[in-house]
Structure formats: C-alpha cells, structure tokens
Amino acid sequence: MSSQIYDCIVIGAGIQGSCTAYYHAKNNKKTLLLEQFFLPHSRGSSHGQTRIIRKAYQQDFYLRMMEESYKLWAELERDAGVQLYRCTGLLVMGPEDGQYYSAVKDVLQRNKVPTVMLKREEFNQHIPNFNLVSGENALVDTSAGVLYADKALDSLQRLFQSHGGVIKDGEKVTGIKPGPVVTVTTASGAYQAKSLVITAGPWTNTLLSHTGMALPLKVEKINVCYWREKVPGSYDVHNRFPCFSRQDGPEVDQIIYGLPSNEYPGLMKVCYHIGKETDPDARDNQTDQSDIQVLQRFVARCMPGLVPVPAVVESCLYTLTPDNHFVLDCHPTYSNIIIGAGFSGHGFKFGPVIGKILYELSTGQVPSHNLSPFKITRFQTPKSAL
Ligand SMILES: Cc1cc2nc3c(=O)[nH]c(=O)nc-3n(C[C@H](O)[C@H](O)[C@H](O)COP(=O)(O)OP(=O)(O)OC[C@H]3O[C@@H](n4cnc5c(N)ncnc54)[C@H](O)[C@@H]3O)c2cc1C
Ligand SMILES: O=C(O)[C@@H]1CCCC=N1
C-alpha cells in the first residue's frame, strides 16, 4: 500500500470523473483519478467527438445549472487554450401542446433565454433541407451548440495533471473499504484517501456493491448513427446547420436528435434517445436495431437531403435513472463517499458544474446548487403510515 493519503480518489475518468478530479486539483487537493481502461477509450459514455450543449430543458433546475456550466466551459477553454464549444443553435420541434415542446418553450421564455420562434411559412428560409412535420411548431435555442467531447476530456485530464493531479489508467478498482480514510484496491495496489468520489458511469452498481448498496440504474446501448448528405455540405456545421431535437411519439423520452455534419465530413449525426438494455461489459452482444428503423422513417420523412440508411454506426452507453434525473449525493451510510451517476443520456454538457458540485460535496462545503432533485432518497418507496 502506498504510504500517501490523498485528499480524494476519483473512480472513473469519463467526463464527470475528469471534471471532478480537475476541480479538486485546481483547489490544491491531492487527487488520484483511477480509470479501468487505458485512456482514451470508447467503452463508456463520454467518447466520441461531439455532444449537444443547450439551455432548452423542461425543468428550471437544469437551466440554472446550465447557466453556470456555460461560464465554466468558457473558463476551461481559456485555461486549456482549446476551442471546446461551437455555437450552432438548437432547433426544438413538436406539437404546440405536446409535453416536451411546450415545457421547453415555457422554461426558455420564463427565464428570458434568447430564443427565436420560427413561423411555419418562414421555416425553410432559416432551416433548409428539413420538412417540419404538419401540426408541429419550431423554436431555436440560439446559444445552444456543439461541445467537442474528445478535446474536452483530453483538456481536462491535461489541466488536472498540470495542477499536480495523478492519473492511473489501466487500473480497475476491485475493492473499496469504507472508513474515515477510505481504502481502494486495484490489481496494482491499494490507495487511501479522505474522500472517495464514484463516477463510474455504467459500472456504478458494480462499485457500489463494495459499499453495501445499489441504485436503480439501467444501462442501455445507443446506436450512434451517421447519415450521408446527398449534396455535400447541405447539413454542414460550416453552413450554419443547427443541432435539433424532436419528440417522436407520445412518450416524452421518444426524442430524435441530430448534430450537423462536422467530425465526419459529409455525415450528419442523428440518433434515437431510447436504446436497449445491456451489460456494459458485453455491449457488443446487444445487436438490436429497432432504434435504427425509427430513425430511417424519420430521415426519409424529414431530412430529404440525407441517404436514409446509416453510413456509420458506433456505440455508446446511457446509464438511466427511473426519472432520468442525475444522482449527485453522499453515500447514505458513508458520508465521505460521494456518488455522481445516472446521467441518463444528457450529462455531458453539465460536466464542469457537476465536477464543481461533487468537489463541494467531497470537501464538506454547501453545494452551490439545490440538489434535491438528485438525492438518493427519492428512490425509496414511501413508508407505510401504519
Ligand atoms: C450516444 C450518446 C449521445 C449523447 N449525447 C449527449 C449530448 O448531446 N449532450 C449531453 O450533454 N450528453 C449527451 N450524452 C450523455 C453523456 O455523454 C453522458 O451523460 C456522460 O458522458 C456520462 O459520463 P460519466 O463520466 O458519468 O460516464 P463514463 O463516460 O462512462 O465514465 C465512467 C468511467 O468510469 C470508468 N470505470 C468504471 N468502473 C471502473 C472501475 N472499477 N475502476 C476504474 N474505472 C472504472 C469507466 O471505464 C469509464 O471511463 C450522450 C451519451 C451517449 C451515449
Ligand atoms: O442532451 C442532449 O442534448 C442530447 C439530445 C437530447 C436527448 C439526449 N441527449
């Protein structure tokens, strides 16, 4: 066992663990970031080149957090000297009275977020090569855009190390011994720290089993589909094509979303927000393609400038909670073990604000956001009144 006692050990170097480790090191905490795979890797949830950043949410509490997250992303860009955000706008579509569209519109308007309402008759002047479905309305969250995900991870891990943080990759955590000083074991050794943050994405429950608890998390595989432009440039980020999201059915999570052609020139990313359950260690055995059929129907109907068969399909994992809200909380038994989990397919954009919150929890500070939507106790069934 190393004789050094860290202030904090963070398990998992995805976006949430990398941000958390970074805020610890930036605040002069001796911090160790452990990652099971050699970095960079593509087996979890944070890989790939792009993610959407937006304020267009159905809940005010996410909007509040995003207001801070935009500022923290800009600070990170300055500190790293790397462009991490590109403004494209986000086109949100749905029936005026549909749950998703109307809730997003209300939140944006109530909070005076810069938004453009698009009239049907002028829709194609602004958004060419796109068919707005009959009966649907459209608005644009103008400050939304694309985050360069792989550059963000690399920048955070580099900044973390420049502040004295230690990364050990290829070191899978196989044991956790709680206590006032927590001991964490890997195949290569044992490490100790005053606090432990678990940001293990799809593997969260495997790690929590060492602490006698489990969360109601479900892991799904998402087919990340890229679609070829019939006329090169039609949906290109350089031609100011926006990101989009649209509710595609009665359920509020039946979202289809897209990002303009960027990382693979001539290919636009369009994905379905619902996947199929998988074991994270056997992701490639999950071969269901029903989401691709949903996407093909949508592309054929709404995006006539794309070939309606995906040209590239990659894989990525969601870790979902029952209500699709995050878990940001202390362990119910061990207050120096902090959990950041269940990012439910929408957590990347919040990375810096989540890293800051998990740092605050791990160092015993009052969190700078209201964490009641993210508490573990919300999963407990109400006790009988008898
Ligand atoms: C297809 C797709 C599209 C998405 N689009 C968006 C979007 O547009 N906008 C947005 O904001 N979000 C988006 N998301 C969601 C976002 O990417 C995730 O919420 C976020 O990446 C989750 O990060 P994480 O750090 O919690 O998990 P992960 O990235 O999975 O990181 C967890 C890490 O822990 C490591 N680990 C696990 N167990 C151990 C162990 N025992 N020992 C050591 N290390 C361990 C893993 O190897 C992994 O590296 C999308 C996700 C997917 C899959
Ligand atoms: O978080 C995001 O913006 C994306 C798109 C909408 C569905 C989930 N992820």
Side-chain angles (χ1 to χ4, degrees), residues 103-119:
V104 167
K105 184 178 153 194
D106 285 354
V107 168
L108 291 174
Q109 291 190 332
R110 186 167 52 250
N111 291 285
K112 303 190 171 40
V113 175
T115 305
V116 174
M117 309 303 299
L118 293 180
K119 292 203 182 79

Side-chain angles (χ1 to χ4, degrees), residues 51-54 56-57 90 100 145 243-246 253 255-259 271-273 318 343-350:
R51 293 291 187 280
I52 296 172
I53 179 169
R54 58 186 161 104
Y57 260 90
L90 173 82
Y100 172 71
C243 297
F244 74 82
S245 71
R246 170 177 177 269
D253 59 348
I255 300 288
I256 293 177
Y257 57 97
L259 291 83
C271 302
Y272 194 38
H273 187 49
Y318 279 2
F343 293 100
S344 302
H346 64 113
F348 201 101
K349 64 183 84 57
F350 295 92

